[in-house]
Amino acid sequence: MARTIHADGKNDVQTAVGALPITKPPLVSEQVTKYMKAEKIDAWISFQYSDKLKNDAMSKTFHVPKGLTNATTSVFFADGREPLLFVARIEAPKFEHFKEYGTVIPCTDADEFMKLFAEKVTGCKKIAMEYGENMLSASALVPARVKESVQKATNAEIVPSMGVIQHAVVPLSPPAFREHEDAVAKLDRIMEGCMKLIRDGVENGKPVTEYGLREFISKKYKEFGMVSSHIQHVVAVNEHIANIHYEAPEKGSAEIRKGDVVLIDIWAKNDKEDAAYADITWMCFVGKEKDIPKKYADAFKVQVEASHMAMDHIKKAFKEGKPIIPCEVDAVARNHILKNGYPDYPHSTGHNLGTGSAQGEGVMISKKLTFPLVPYSCYTIEPGIYVTEIENGTENFLYGARTEFNFYLQPIAGPTITSRVQKEMVCLY
């Protein structure tokens, strides 16, 4: 059974993915082509120098194999022409699988590439490529010299490919989404295990440390067949919560004792190539509700309100048939926190959950981004409160609050929350 928990706190119990009618748009065809034609984009051209400078969007879309040491350039045409892959001649045998999708063009050197490129890529007035300040993470990989060479060879206008990528690689396949739900369930069990370990440590007179709890989480990832990206997880006690992505050190890590406030942020996916990530953050108090320090209780209340307001905005926009614009969602949460006298938080209100990284290729739910969220995508909501002070030029961390839940954007049913939503701080006594 799979559980879906909505922002209003009600639970729906569904079999497998239940009533969710999940079908992924065809890869690099209908949805991508429709968007490109609407924007009058004639071609999407991607570039990857080698595995060391990997373009995740290109690799996923064009089935680029691993272990490459030379440049690869992909071309997808909106007018229905066969997709092209320009590859190093020495690595051409690795691309036999691509011939069922399009044409593989081996090149001996840069001169031959430019000659063949100019012959094959014709009639394009506007070309989308991975460049520009609004591009995301592993997408922003086109060197200036490559962009200039393409522009010279085609005489086309070059525009950022962020919109193309949203439709090409951000939507999750049904299996990827099911893996996300499974990852959520596993992270829930790990989170519950963390709470128990904290409580048992206090009761036994052997309190677990922040680092010890991180080690416990890592062990559980392995036990559950999961992998993670970046620093793997955050365990922060008291004032460390104000340090946004605090990484507890092995030596000098704080012991978790009675009266402490704890934040636990964990993200992971099943160890499968096309499995999607889950990412949740919870807070707990090692004591009774009446004893939660007021500054933490107040900050937690405002942060939770901001999260729910953001989700309500998303649902309202969908219900009214309007696009879900990241900067508008961000403003709802951010303005509520600012209005209550807390400082601005230096991160997005939410991020896309991908298969290659917990922070996927989808647009961030942040201040500046205006490209709407696309159907079949999975996201987090996690505004934060971090209170610090500057003393003699040094930033001192005081206190903070952050929770995080996940949602999936159904094209018919609308935004559906896929993880538990924390409304009250968990009290361990």
Side-chain angles (χ1 to χ4, degrees):
M1 304 291 281
R3 177 181 58 199
T4 301
I5 303 179
H6 302 277
D8 59 9
K10 296 179 181 178
N11 297 347
D12 289 341
V13 178
Q14 305 164 331
T15 57
V17 186
L20 302 182
I22 306 170
T23 54
K24 184 184 176 183
L27 184 64
V28 193
S29 57
E30 292 179 6
Q31 297 300 320
V32 180
T33 303
K34 183 179 178 181
Y35 171 79
M36 291 174 69
K37 287 182 176 179
E39 297 296 319
K40 298 183 178 178
I41 296 172
D42 300 299
W44 171 31
I45 298 178
S46 294
F47 175 86
Q48 176 175 305
Y49 185 72
S50 67
D51 272 4
K52 293 181 179 179
L53 289 173
K54 188 177 180 181
N55 183 326
D56 286 343
M58 173 185 169
S59 294
K60 183 175 180 180
T61 305
F62 292 90
H63 308 283
V64 176
K66 297 178 181 179
L68 299 181
T69 58
N70 293 278
T72 305
T73 302
S74 62
V75 183
F76 176 76
F77 297 102
D79 62 8
R81 280 181 279 173
E82 274 198 331
L84 307 176
L85 269 183
F86 294 88
V87 305
R89 191 172 298 278
I90 194 173
E91 293 181 328
K94 296 180 180 180
F95 291 89
E96 284 296 316
H97 65 281
F98 184 77
K99 291 181 180 179
E100 64 179 293
Y101 303 101
T103 302
V104 177
I105 303 174
C107 305
T108 303
D109 53 31
D111 290 338
E112 184 178 18
F113 163 73
M114 288 310 305
K115 178 179 178 295
L116 293 172
F117 184 89
E119 291 174 1
K120 300 291 184 180
V121 184
T122 59
C124 297
K125 294 180 179 179
K126 185 188 285 189
I127 291 173
M129 298 184 72
E130 282 79 78
Y131 90 97
E133 62 178 8
N134 284 334
M135 291 305 298
L136 302 168
S137 60
S139 298
L141 292 172
V142 176
R145 61 179 176 78
V146 175
K147 173 179 172 284
E148 291 166 3
S149 296
V150 169
Q151 198 162 24
K152 183 178 179 181
T154 62
N155 200 31
E157 175 190 1
I158 309 297
V159 298
S161 62
M162 182 171 68
V164 180
I165 287 175
Q166 300 313 294
H167 291 285
V169 301
V170 172
L172 296 179
S173 66
F177 176 69
R178 287 192 287 271
E179 293 291 345
H180 162 76
E181 285 205 317
D182 187 61
V184 166
K186 289 177 178 178
L187 291 188
D188 267 349
R189 291 173 61 189
I190 294 172
M191 189 68 74
E192 290 168 1
C194 288
M195 306 287 183
K196 183 178 186 303
L197 190 62
I198 293 171
R199 186 172 55 247
D200 289 348
V202 171
E203 291 178 352
N204 296 332
K206 296 179 179 179
V208 65
T209 65
E210 295 167 313
Y211 184 81
L213 201 56
R214 288 190 67 207
E215 290 292 286
F216 169 80
I217 295 167
S218 295
K219 180 181 176 182
K220 287 297 178 181
Y221 284 172
K222 292 180 181 178
E223 182 180 319
F224 290 153
M226 305 183 82
V227 293
S228 187
S229 57
H230 308 306
I231 62 172
Q232 296 187 347
H233 33 265
V234 176
V235 178
V237 174
N238 300 333
E239 69 274 8
H240 293 158
I241 295 171
N243 186 351
I244 301 165
H245 276 115
Y246 171 73
E247 188 170 356
E250 183 175 358
K251 294 182 179 180
S253 182
E255 292 184 339
I256 304 175
R257 299 180 176 277
K258 201 163 187 178
D260 286 341
V261 178
V262 186
L263 177 148
I264 303 170
D265 184 353
I266 52 179
W267 57 94
K269 69 168 205 165
N270 288 327
D271 192 7
K272 301 176 184 178
E273 186 174 355
D274 290 326
Y277 271 83
D279 186 354
I280 61 174
T281 302
W282 279 65
M283 291 184 67
C284 69
F285 175 64
V286 190
K288 297 181 179 179
E289 183 179 1
K290 66 181 180 64
D291 296 322
I292 299 174
K294 187 175 185 304
K295 62 183 180 181
Y296 284 101
D298 291 347
F300 180 85
K301 178 177 180 292
V302 171
Q303 191 277 336
V304 167
E305 289 172 348
S307 296
H308 284 274
M309 289 170 70
M311 196 65 214
D312 288 344
H313 177 89
I314 291 170
K315 290 188 171 186
K316 184 173 183 289
F318 181 86
K319 187 176 181 180
E320 294 175 351
K322 297 177 180 177
I324 300 169
I325 307 300
C327 63
E328 294 176 1
V329 179
D330 181 274
V332 169
R334 198 174 297 274
N335 290 342
H336 183 70
I337 285 174
L338 292 172
K339 191 165 59 176
N340 279 274
Y342 293 103
D344 196 4
Y345 49 96
H347 59 73
S348 65
T349 293
H351 61 82
N352 176 239
L353 291 167
T355 57
S357 170
Q359 295 198 2
E361 291 293 331
V363 292
M364 297 282 189
I365 300 177
S366 62
K367 289 181 181 180
K368 297 181 179 180
L369 293 179
T370 58
F371 192 90
L373 306 191
V374 297
Y376 306 99
S377 59
C378 208
Y379 274 85
T380 69
I381 293 291
E382 53 169 327
I385 292 176
Y386 313 99
V387 181
T388 65
E389 65 177 5
I390 304 297
E391 185 177 356
N392 298 324
T394 301
E395 183 177 30
N396 296 320
F397 301 106
L398 302 180
Y399 65 96
R402 184 174 78 250
T403 63
E404 178 182 22
F405 58 85
N406 305 163
F407 73 91
Y408 180 70
L409 187 55
Q410 280 282 347
I412 300 174
T416 304
I417 294 177
T418 59
S419 65
R420 288 193 295 166
V421 178
Q422 186 175 14
K423 291 186 176 182
E424 299 176 348
M425 197 178 298
V426 177
C427 295
L428 301 185
Y429 290 92

